Amino acid sequence: MVKRSTTAKKSSKQVSDIESSKYAAAKEAIKLIEDGMIVGLGSGTTSNVFIKELGNKILTEDISVFGIPTSFESRMLAIQSGIPLVSLDQCDTIDIAIDGADEVDKKSLNLIKGGGGCHTMEKIVDYFAEEFVVLVDNSKVVDVLGDKTPVPLEVLPQTYPTVLKELLNRGAAPAIRMSNKKMGPVITDNGNIIIDVFIDLDNPEEVERDLNNIPGVLENGIFTKVDKVIVGHPKKVEILER
Ligand code: 5RP
């Protein structure tokens, strides 16, 4: 059975609580960063708070930390924040990756990511890191993964008809993500399109593997290898660990 998301308008108090919660989570994550580390820099508004705080830490503590960005946006912000960058071909390991999420299953810590369409590079960096830490505000924590948020697939543009057919055959409800500021679909940093799909997530590890086996799908937004989730609240943080 396919469920659809509902968007309710948030009050200004809710918006400000969410902002304070993101900040609280980012400040907690900063405590994990040590001199000499290579740090995966996630994408999205919560990761952006962390990136700015990391820039401050490097400046004020005069430490040597290198970042690996997961998107065009996190790359730009890291440069503006004074974080020296390296690419995947310049490092053997990533010590820690800090990233956001669209939904977190509070029991398993499995995630849905890709609301910003950057999940392919995010998964490469996050899964390669020695430790993968997720930052969210409390509104992202759910009992049942995928009820309200679809799973994004990054798809080679010319394969959209066959990918859509295959998803429909599997009983899923797919939709091409359309752009607000240009005609046509959202185009990712890698020049591909996004198909958002409501699909049964009873076994997230299996679905994560299976979706990537559809020819034309580059990567999906189910993340099942998370070490720690820092949940920000307006005045405290909560740490969820496997
Ligand atoms: C981008 C992502 C983001 O991490 C996710 O969408 C959360 O973003 P935000 O912190 O803005 O809520 O996966 O592809």
Side-chain angles (χ1 to χ4, degrees):
M1 181 63 183
V2 165
K3 297 131 191 161
R4 295 250 163 234
S5 65
T6 50
T7 43
K9 206 166 182 312
K10 292 189 171 62
S11 69
S12 58
K13 163 88 170 71
Q14 282 172 317
V15 171
S16 114
D17 279 355
I18 287 176
E19 291 316 307
S20 311
S21 305
K22 288 178 185 178
Y23 184 71
K27 284 296 259 188
E28 186 68 22
I30 282 291
K31 295 181 191 164
L32 303 172
I33 307 301
E34 292 168 14
D35 193 15
M37 276 187 164
I38 295 184
V39 182
L41 305 174
S43 301
T45 52
T46 318
S47 297
N48 285 353
V49 180
F50 169 79
I51 292 171
K52 287 183 197 157
E53 287 300 313
L54 182 59
N56 281 339
K57 183 177 170 93
I58 292 171
L59 190 70
T60 52
E61 296 179 20
D62 195 23
I63 55 172
S64 167
V65 169
F66 289 89
I68 298 208
T70 53
S71 64
F72 191 88
E73 187 183 81
S74 66
R75 182 172 184 278
M76 280 199 309
L77 184 61
I79 291 169
Q80 284 164 16
S81 306
I83 303 173
L85 299 179
V86 282
S87 56
L88 283 177
D89 42 13
Q90 290 170 302
C91 63
D92 291 333
T93 52
I94 299 173
D95 296 291
I96 191 167
I98 309 285
D99 205 344
D102 300 300
E103 272 194 11
V104 179
D105 177 330
K106 73 174 170 207
K107 284 204 200 89
S108 64
L109 304 193
N110 293 328
L111 317 174
I112 293 179
K113 287 184 50 54
C118 327
H119 58 276
T120 300
M121 200 58 202
E122 289 177 322
K123 198 180 276 189
I124 291 166
V125 169
D126 295 344
Y127 277 19
F128 184 60
E130 299 286 318
E131 190 178 10
F132 172 25
V133 178
V134 174
L135 308 183
V136 287
D137 63 82
N138 195 37
S139 69
K140 307 285 189 65
V141 180
V142 297
D143 292 321
V144 184
L145 198 67
D147 257 13
K148 287 187 263 163
T149 304
V151 176
L153 311 181
E154 181 162 1
V155 173
L156 291 175
Q158 62 272 37
T159 67
Y160 84 84
T162 49
V163 173
L164 285 177
K165 277 186 198 125
E166 181 55 33
L167 290 167
L168 289 169
N169 284 342
R170 294 178 184 210
I176 296 176
R177 193 182 294 181
M178 303 306 279
S179 173
N180 287 332
K181 300 261 173 102
K182 99 177 220 310
M183 302 304 290
V186 166
I187 303 296
T188 68
D189 289 353
N190 310 308
N192 298 308
I193 62 165
I194 300 280
I195 295 180
D196 289 306
V197 60
F198 280 97
I199 191 165
D200 203 331
L201 287 183
D202 280 351
N203 187 340
E205 284 92 355
E206 195 176 278
V207 182
E208 181 182 10
R209 263 194 321 271
D210 286 355
L211 287 173
N212 282 4
N213 278 338
I214 301 174
V217 173
L218 211 59
E219 189 52 80
N220 67 80
I222 304 169
F223 283 54
T224 56
K225 296 185 177 68
V226 178
D227 295 306
K228 189 188 283 184
V229 178
I230 302 177
V231 184
H233 298 261
K235 289 189 180 142
K236 62 170 191 176
V237 292
E238 194 185 342
I239 314 269
L240 310 177
E241 275 175 289
R242 267 180 199 275

